[in-house]
Amino acid sequence: MEISSRLIQEITYDAATQTLDVKLRLKGRRRYFNVPPAVVKNLLTAPSPGWYYTQHIHHAFARTDDEPPPRFSLFRLRLRRHPAASGVLKAETPRHQGTMLPAWLQKLSKSLKMNK
């Protein structure tokens, strides 16, 4: 069933098993277990279904994620061909170029080099 919410795209509820399937707009699907019909009714009639979901369902019931959340890394890896072995890929973390550093850090770096 479609829902008017910026967070939730659609929900499906099975009253026999008390299973609530929630399709979130940005984070995939989640299945919640042992959800009473009154909670689902309140979700459908709430002025803000997204708020009701985060306050009363998200952490209150056992769930499974059909789609795992994406994992982000602080470092981006670049793949380069290793010069010694043809066809072998080597992962490297990107190095800052002088122009990518903030101006204050460039000045500090130059002054430290001059003091050596």
Side-chain angles (χ1 to χ4, degrees):
M1 162 184 313
E2 291 282 325
I3 239 178
S4 176
S5 171
R6 286 185 278 168
L7 177 66
I8 303 170
Q9 185 172 353
E10 91 181 68
I11 65 165
T12 308
Y13 182 68
D14 183 3
T17 60
Q18 291 191 340
T19 303
L20 175 66
D21 290 322
V22 179
K23 182 176 181 185
L24 301 172
R25 294 198 185 273
L26 299 176
K27 297 181 182 178
R29 288 189 174 275
R30 297 206 172 127
R31 176 170 287 170
Y32 294 90
F33 302 100
N34 300 321
V35 180
V39 172
V40 177
K41 181 181 177 186
N42 291 341
L43 174 66
L44 293 173
T45 58
S48 173
W51 180 88
Y52 186 87
Y53 165 78
T54 57
Q55 296 296 314
H56 300 282
I57 297 173
H58 181 63
H59 293 296
F61 298 98
R63 74 168 195 229
T64 59
D65 296 340
D66 287 350
E67 299 172 16
R71 299 203 177 243
F72 296 101
S73 173
L74 295 176
F75 299 101
R76 294 182 188 170
L77 296 178
R78 286 187 292 178
L79 293 177
R80 285 192 162 175
R81 298 218 177 264
H82 194 276
S86 62
V88 176
L89 294 176
K90 177 183 177 186
E92 293 182 352
T93 56
R95 294 185 177 94
H96 286 287
Q97 305 297 325
T99 58
M100 294 175 65
L101 295 174
W104 67 269
L105 193 52
Q106 289 178 20
K107 289 179 184 177
L108 178 65
S109 174
K110 286 179 184 177
S111 69
L112 290 174
K113 287 178 185 176
M114 291 174 64
N115 290 336
K116 284 187 177 181

